[in-house]
Amino acid sequence: MTEFYTPYTGNSPVFLVVGSKGWIGGMLANELEKAGANVTRSLTRFEDRAAVLSEIEKVKPTHVLNCAGVTGRPNVDWCEDNKQATIRSNVIGTLNLIDICYLNNIHLTNFATGCIYQYDDAHPMGSGKGFTEEDPANFDGSYYSKTKAQVELILREYPNVLNLRLRMPVSDELHPRNFVTKIAKYERVVDIPNSNTLLYDLLPASIAMAKANLTGVFNFTNPGAISHNEVLSLYKKHVKPDFTWKNFSLEEQAKVIKAGRSNCELDTTKLEAALAKLGITIPEVHVAYDSMFQRMAKGEGLKSNDEF
């Protein structure tokens, strides 16, 4: 085991996907397999140090992609009543895996969250001024976000880690974890602009960033911010013409949820610059959503058992 990190420079990367039974982890593993990559889907619980060490020795990955963790079912309110389980996964498990990878000279990509901010006087809603990777977290209204913000402070000390801050992830299929699926099923929704991660655009980018051995913290969303009403209007336009919805205020929302919700725009300047060097361009969020719903309307990537 080493106490320093030297990036892999070979031409035959070996990937280990942790959390591959989950929504994003499964899609990531599928993407790698489709590309013919040497990829293994992890079978261990990442808080089990002995099991992780054994699997690392067996697989000998050059790159680990961590999509494991708990967000709660049906939502982050679960974490308010299950704080120890949340710590065990989002804190102990994540840091355990990162530390093992560091000691074994392995690059680790951590799929994290940008839900650690809320609009403030320096970043007003609708101003277009997003939070950067260096801005301190200012939102701890949910226990989920609180644990994620604390872990990010610690993992910054590990030179082998690429930490990607996703927000309200969206796929081309109406999976139950998809942000669009969630808000389309709610009786009422707030209407606030937020940064979103459209996985069609960003999952391939994450693989490219891992292969390039990029490290550090990156806001991992499409550029710009889009409101709930704008998302649902595009859904109605392209996918379900008879769809209707109702709005309510943040104050009304607070009466029916246990934990607060992060609302913010993330600055993607750092991400766009890094991806440009890799020959990748990420579409602005409104453009990305319009393209995604057009693909969805054509049945591209939409599973029949996920329709609603």
Side-chain angles (χ1 to χ4, degrees):
M1 292 186 179
T2 64
E3 280 291 348
F4 57 89
Y5 171 64
T6 304
Y8 173 76
T9 57
N11 296 318
S12 303
V14 178
F15 296 94
L16 177 66
V17 179
V18 179
S20 61
K21 292 183 179 180
W23 173 45
I24 293 177
M27 286 192 291
L28 188 63
N30 290 342
E31 188 78 18
L32 286 162
E33 290 169 352
K34 187 169 62 177
N38 184 343
V39 56
T40 298
R41 297 173 185 248
S42 175
L43 300 175
T44 64
R45 301 286 300 179
F46 67 164
E47 61 266 32
D48 185 339
R49 193 171 182 90
V52 172
L53 281 166
S54 177
E55 187 171 58
I56 291 290
E57 177 60 30
K58 179 181 178 181
V59 177
K60 294 181 170 53
T62 59
H63 296 77
V64 170
L65 307 173
N66 178 39
C67 301
V70 296
T71 55
R73 296 293 178 96
N75 53 50
V76 294
D77 285 349
W78 180 91
C79 298
E80 303 300 311
D81 298 322
N82 296 272
K83 292 182 177 179
Q84 292 76 22
T86 302
I87 292 171
R88 195 174 303 119
S89 177
N90 293 354
V91 180
I92 296 172
T94 300
L95 294 177
N96 184 50
L97 181 63
I98 288 171
D99 187 59
I100 288 172
C101 287
Y102 169 67
L103 292 173
N104 286 275
N105 204 47
I106 299 168
H107 183 279
L108 182 136
T109 301
N110 188 50
F111 289 78
T113 184
C115 293
I116 57 175
Y117 297 109
Q118 61 183 350
Y119 290 116
D120 60 16
D121 291 341
H123 307 84
M125 181 172 23
S127 68
K129 184 178 181 182
F131 290 90
T132 73
E133 290 81 358
E134 301 309 315
D135 285 321
N138 71 347
F139 175 75
D140 62 359
S142 73
Y143 198 71
Y144 168 80
S145 292
K146 186 175 182 178
T147 61
K148 290 290 190 173
Q150 293 300 313
V151 166
E152 185 180 287
L153 289 175
I154 298 171
L155 63 79
R156 285 175 180 265
E157 304 300 327
Y158 284 87
N160 62 318
V161 177
L162 170 62
N163 194 63
L164 303 177
R165 293 170 163 179
L166 286 71
R167 290 206 76 242
M168 301 177 172
V170 178
S171 68
D172 283 19
E173 62 180 12
L174 293 172
H175 188 279
R177 308 298 279 180
N178 186 338
F179 172 68
V180 174
T181 309
K182 291 180 179 180
I183 64 171
K185 287 187 175 181
Y186 290 157
E187 182 178 341
R188 293 180 295 171
V189 297
V190 294
D191 184 35
I192 299 175
N194 275 281
S195 290
N196 283 198
T197 300
L198 276 78
L199 298 171
Y200 179 89
D201 304 311
L202 287 159
L203 272 191
S206 71
I207 296 171
M209 294 172 78
K211 286 182 176 179
N213 295 309
L214 299 188
T215 57
V217 177
F218 285 83
N219 290 334
F220 204 60
T221 65
N222 292 73
I226 188 168
S227 72
H228 294 56
N229 280 4
E230 288 176 313
V231 170
L232 293 175
S233 292
L234 287 170
Y235 174 68
K236 178 182 178 73
K237 174 183 177 181
H238 293 297
V239 180
K240 198 167 185 178
D242 60 348
F243 181 75
T244 61
W245 70 95
K246 297 178 181 179
N247 290 126
F248 66 159
S249 67
L250 282 174
E251 293 73 23
E252 291 171 317
Q253 181 193 52
K255 296 177 182 179
V256 296
I257 57 177
K258 287 188 176 182
R261 299 295 192 265
S262 163
N263 291 291
C264 65
E265 179 175 352
L266 300 182
D267 185 296
T268 56
T269 302
K270 180 180 178 182
L271 174 67
E272 291 177 82
L275 292 180
K277 293 179 180 178
L278 300 176
I280 299 171
T281 302
I282 299 298
E284 190 273 338
V285 68
H286 293 82
V287 175
Y289 258 111
D290 195 79
S291 297
M292 185 272 290
F293 282 129
Q294 289 187 55
R295 291 191 300 271
M296 185 180 288
K298 295 175 183 177
E300 299 174 2
L302 177 62
K303 295 180 180 178
S304 59
N305 61 351
D306 283 332
E307 288 190 62
F308 60 94

